[in-house]
Amino acid sequence: MFSEDQLERLRSYPDISREDLIRYFTLTPADVAFIDPGRGRGPGDRLGLAVQLATLPWLGFVPDEVSSAPPVAIDRLAERLRIDPDVLAEYGQREQTRSDHLRLVAGYLGWKSAPAGSTAMKELEQFLLDRAMEHDSPALLFNLATEYLMAAKTIRPGVTTLAKMVATARTSATALTWEKVAHLLTDQLRADLDRLLVYDAGLRMTRLAWLIKAATDASAASVKNAIDKLLYLRNMDAHTLDVSELAAERRRFLASVGRRSTNQAVERREPQRRYPILLAVVAQSAVEQVDEVVMLFDRAVSARESRAKSKTDEALIERAKAGEARQLLGQVVGRLPAEHPGRRRTAGARALRRGACRRPRAGRDRV
């Protein structure tokens, strides 16, 4: 599950923030008294004990290389104890010293260890199984286990031990899931689920990709496509599948795996994992598809009504403008002077007629 580099990081000190530095690496008077040199400890043992005392609540465990703690944290503790920070390089040369000091620190802080077969380990196994029914990421399960142990004030086991527990929990979750849904997987249903992964030339994609592809608009084509999906699921009897034996978190997790995984990734999984994933997808889709059909239809009708209202408003505006124009024209015509029917010649025509009948005056002779 983890590479060697990842395992090494999980075993070692991480970088420390200013908040954590102040919170965990600030010694109280009681802490200083616990580290008191009157108990026969030299400067190196005192500083090493102080580092373990600050590290356990911070990380939930103490790395083997105590001297590899962040230098700024070592300096802070050394200043409080008035010790040269360089003396920590000699600390822990005897493994027994580190173990004895960790035991003392755990007793002082109220923490406990979790040896194999203990009640604490059995509780951790059950916790991991419950979380594995909701998640499948090894790193996430590892971190959740660490947080659980810290909340219970239990020293974290070694990285390898905890990683094996995570792997066991994932395997157990898969087996438990299969046990709860195997009775639903008839030959007909398995064949239907297998067909979801087959490329459909008409759709230009697999049925699985088609089912999980969300509509992009509320057009008539989208509504029809949503109804086709619903009918397809009904023909599979997906709406009658009772997967209530699986916890709701497990159903959501399996469905999310099916939706975000590629078709090839789902197809490559072993049947005990592939069929529960596909089963969760179709069972969830059968419920959600009804809501999608109703939503798309409602949006389509609302959009059509909105467009119709816009067109009606535009028509009323144009009609109002035309009415105003006719009214204005009527007002202009009403102000024109009335004229006899027989005298409808234009002013220009009457002027031309008068000019044609006028005789030219005789010119005078000039001397």
Side-chain angles (χ1 to χ4, degrees):
M1 295 185 300
F2 301 107
S3 66
E4 288 299 325
D5 290 340
Q6 290 174 319
L7 290 174
E8 185 59 33
R9 284 196 296 271
L10 293 172
R11 294 189 184 103
S12 307
Y13 279 98
D15 295 331
I16 190 169
S17 65
R18 178 175 175 78
E19 292 76 12
D20 287 342
L21 178 66
I22 296 173
R23 178 179 180 183
Y24 296 108
F25 287 82
T26 300
L27 297 177
T28 65
D31 296 337
V32 175
F34 170 71
I35 307 169
D36 187 83
R39 302 187 181 186
R41 302 188 184 101
D45 286 346
R46 291 177 62 207
L47 186 54
L49 182 61
V51 172
Q52 292 209 53
L53 179 62
T55 299
L56 183 58
W58 177 35
L59 301 180
F61 74 103
V62 179
D64 293 338
E65 295 294 332
V66 178
S67 59
S68 65
V72 64
I74 297 174
D75 292 343
R76 183 178 179 85
L77 295 176
E79 181 180 2
R80 179 71 172 86
L81 297 173
R82 298 179 181 178
I83 296 175
D84 183 358
D86 293 337
V87 300
L88 187 62
E90 302 175 359
Y91 175 76
Q93 293 180 355
R94 292 178 61 251
E95 184 177 350
Q96 188 64 35
T97 301
R98 295 197 310 270
S99 301
D100 291 343
H101 282 183
L102 179 59
R103 192 178 305 110
L104 290 173
V105 167
Y108 173 73
L109 296 175
W111 283 57
K112 60 181 180 292
S113 60
S118 63
T119 301
M121 289 296 278
K122 292 179 180 179
E123 292 175 349
L124 177 59
E125 289 173 359
Q126 185 60 49
F127 171 82
L128 281 172
L129 176 58
D130 294 340
R131 300 292 77 75
M133 292 294 288
E134 304 169 6
H135 313 285
D136 196 55
S137 168
L140 177 59
L141 292 174
F142 190 98
N143 292 335
L144 290 174
T146 300
E147 293 173 1
Y148 168 81
L149 291 170
M150 292 180 68
K153 286 192 172 183
T154 302
I155 300 174
R156 193 196 78 181
V159 171
T160 303
T161 300
L162 190 54
K164 288 180 179 178
M165 294 180 69
V166 169
T168 300
R170 295 176 70 213
T171 303
S172 299
T174 299
L176 182 59
T177 300
W178 178 258
E179 179 183 333
K180 290 180 177 295
V181 302
H183 66 284
L184 298 174
L185 295 167
T186 62
D187 292 341
Q188 179 60 48
L189 182 56
R190 292 192 190 200
D192 290 338
L193 295 177
D194 287 337
R195 277 193 289 272
L196 292 176
L197 303 176
V198 178
Y199 181 80
D200 189 299
L203 297 173
R204 296 182 179 179
M205 64 182 74
T206 64
R207 287 282 177 179
L208 178 61
W210 174 63
L211 285 175
I212 65 179
K213 185 178 181 180
T216 56
D217 55 25
S219 62
S222 296
V223 175
K224 181 181 180 303
N225 189 50
I227 294 174
D228 289 341
K229 291 181 183 180
L230 183 60
L231 293 176
Y232 182 84
L233 292 167
R234 291 293 176 90
N235 289 334
M236 288 180 60
D237 293 329
H239 60 294
T240 65
L241 294 174
D242 184 8
V243 292
S244 58
E245 289 192 26
L246 287 176
E249 294 82 3
R250 186 64 174 177
R251 297 198 301 268
R252 284 194 291 268
F253 163 70
L254 292 173
S256 67
V257 171
R259 292 176 181 276
R260 68 172 183 261
S261 300
T262 64
N263 190 77
Q264 293 78 10
V266 176
E267 194 171 16
R268 283 196 299 265
R269 293 177 182 266
E270 61 273 16
Q272 287 77 8
R273 290 177 64 82
R274 181 173 68 250
Y275 286 125
I277 289 173
L278 295 175
L279 188 64
V281 171
V282 297
Q284 187 181 76
S285 297
V287 176
E288 295 177 349
Q289 200 59 43
V290 176
D291 296 335
E292 183 170 355
V293 169
V294 174
M295 179 193 68
L296 289 175
F297 184 79
D298 181 67
R299 288 171 57 188
V301 171
S302 299
R304 182 64 62 87
E305 289 180 349
S306 178
R307 289 194 296 270
K309 184 177 182 303
S310 297
K311 290 184 178 180
T312 301
D313 292 342
E314 292 174 1
L316 290 175
I317 292 173
E318 293 298 326
R319 184 174 179 180
K321 290 180 179 179
E324 292 177 359
R326 287 194 298 270
Q327 184 179 4
L328 180 61
L329 180 61
Q331 293 174 355
V332 171
V333 172
R335 288 196 295 268
L336 294 176
E339 198 174 287
H340 191 276
R343 298 179 178 177
R344 290 183 179 178
R345 297 187 182 92
T346 64
R350 290 195 296 271
L352 289 174
R353 188 167 178 273
R354 286 197 301 270
C357 295
R358 188 176 300 165
R359 293 182 178 179
R361 294 180 180 179
R364 296 180 179 178
D365 296 335
R366 294 182 181 181
V367 179

